[in-house]
Amino acid sequence: MARERAKALLLDFDGVLRRWDPAVAADVEREYGLSEGVLTEIAMQWGRLQPVLTGQVSHADWVSSVADALEGPAGGPERARAAVEQWQRYRGEVDTEVLDFVREVRAAGIPVGLGTNATDLLDADLTALGLVGEFDVVVNSSTLGVHKPAPEYFQAACQALATPPARVLFVDDEDWAVRGARSAGLSAHRWGGHADLRYLRAALDY
């Protein structure tokens, strides 16, 4: 039996709406004599990342822990802190074509939620990137205390959108998140780039 048409859109942030230029981290690593990719490698270690994504520690605490881990490679605590602070000043860039799509969907009367695994810096990032007011709801893992792909995350997102899971279309660039959404009863599409917008428009049928 065919699925019902989606009545709401839930969109991932990083990798879909927000892009990160890898050259920024590479430049910092080069300036401070760090090995290529080490900033992301340390920051994304799951034991370090999971607590900040579920609100157990603050973004500031997470950043401090990254700097602590870099003291040896960077040549001391001051250089490690300086490197991490310089890296963190860059907050990414908005994909304007995706933002135009979000505005188009909302203008058609379809609610759009931002569904992201993020830290308590998310509100500040949305402000800095000019995205305040661009979504009907913002579903932040660190506020919920649970992260994608847990079913509880998607249940909370659907409740925030006031839409049953079967009528929500979720878009993410990570396979594990897409699989989690489908397991929770949502329609889900793995983002591959702007060419996907045609499919998403057809799926929403507005």
Side-chain angles (χ1 to χ4, degrees):
M1 189 172 68
R3 290 186 67 100
E4 296 177 288
R5 179 169 64 86
K7 291 286 191 180
L9 176 66
L10 182 64
L11 196 73
D12 180 40
F13 193 25
D14 292 318
V16 180
L17 180 58
R18 176 165 63 175
R19 300 175 301 189
W20 298 95
D21 183 352
V24 174
D27 287 346
V28 173
E29 288 162 350
R30 196 175 304 113
E31 179 178 344
Y32 286 86
L34 300 168
S35 59
E36 183 179 351
V38 71
L39 284 167
T40 300
E41 178 186 340
I42 290 175
M44 298 301 169
Q45 288 170 349
W46 190 239
R48 189 186 314 280
L49 186 62
Q50 192 267 350
V52 73
L53 293 183
T54 52
Q56 298 173 61
V57 302
S58 69
H59 186 96
D61 289 338
W62 173 65
V63 167
S64 292
S65 77
V66 175
D68 290 344
L70 278 172
E71 286 185 8
E78 290 185 6
R79 283 179 55 82
R81 281 196 301 272
V84 173
E85 286 171 6
Q86 184 173 325
W87 169 57
Q88 282 289 298
R89 278 197 292 271
Y90 172 61
R91 303 311 304 161
E93 301 156 18
V94 174
D95 186 321
T96 56
E97 193 164 341
V98 176
L99 180 57
D100 287 343
F101 169 66
V102 168
R103 290 170 173 168
E104 181 185 309
V105 172
R106 294 185 73 202
I110 298 171
V112 179
L114 185 70
T116 179
N117 286 345
T119 74
D120 61 3
L121 199 65
L122 179 63
D123 288 347
D125 279 353
L126 294 179
T127 298
L129 294 169
L131 293 173
V132 173
E134 296 287 0
F135 308 95
D136 295 285
V137 299
V138 174
V139 188
N140 180 356
S141 64
S142 64
T143 301
L144 283 179
V146 64
H147 57 76
K148 296 181 288 186
E152 295 86 357
Y153 178 92
F154 292 108
Q155 289 164 7
C158 293
Q159 289 172 1
L161 285 164
T163 307
R167 306 302 293 271
V168 175
L169 174 59
F170 173 64
V171 181
D172 199 291
D173 63 322
E174 298 284 0
D175 273 333
W176 50 263
V178 168
R179 290 195 301 269
R182 288 175 179 161
S183 294
L186 291 74
S187 296
H189 176 79
R190 185 183 177 191
W191 176 252
H194 295 152
D196 292 354
L197 292 174
R198 181 178 178 181
Y199 166 80
L200 296 176
R201 288 184 175 102
L204 293 166
D205 190 26
Y206 58 87

